[in-house]
Amino acid sequence: MGISYKKLWHLLLDKEMNKSRLRESGIHSATIAKMNKGKAISTKTIEEICRLLDCQPGDIMEYVADDIKI
């Protein structure tokens, strides 16, 4: 699966914010769409989100391993 941003969506709810607030703060809608799909985003964007929400990267995302066995 890769990176999950479920922690970010929960954090937004906890802070009574929504995805629109991210867009208003300068996070591009295409980037938000990428996060919805669990795709990679830049570390610069992660930094901007952490600054906005006053949190650490681990508070907004986590690595989720694939169930593929080698």
Side-chain angles (χ1 to χ4, degrees), residues 8 11 15 46-47 49-60:
L8 171 59
L11 184 59
K15 293 188 179 246
I46 294 168
E47 180 182 347
I49 293 169
C50 288
R51 187 178 305 117
L52 171 68
L53 299 176
D54 189 30
C55 66
Q56 294 295 313
D59 297 331
I60 64 170

Side-chain angles (χ1 to χ4, degrees), residues 6-22:
K6 286 182 183 179
K7 287 182 165 187
L8 171 59
W9 312 135
H10 289 284
L11 184 59
L12 287 176
L13 289 173
D14 290 345
K15 293 188 179 246
E16 298 181 357
M17 298 173 71
N18 57 31
K19 294 175 187 176
S20 295
R21 173 81 164 111
L22 288 179

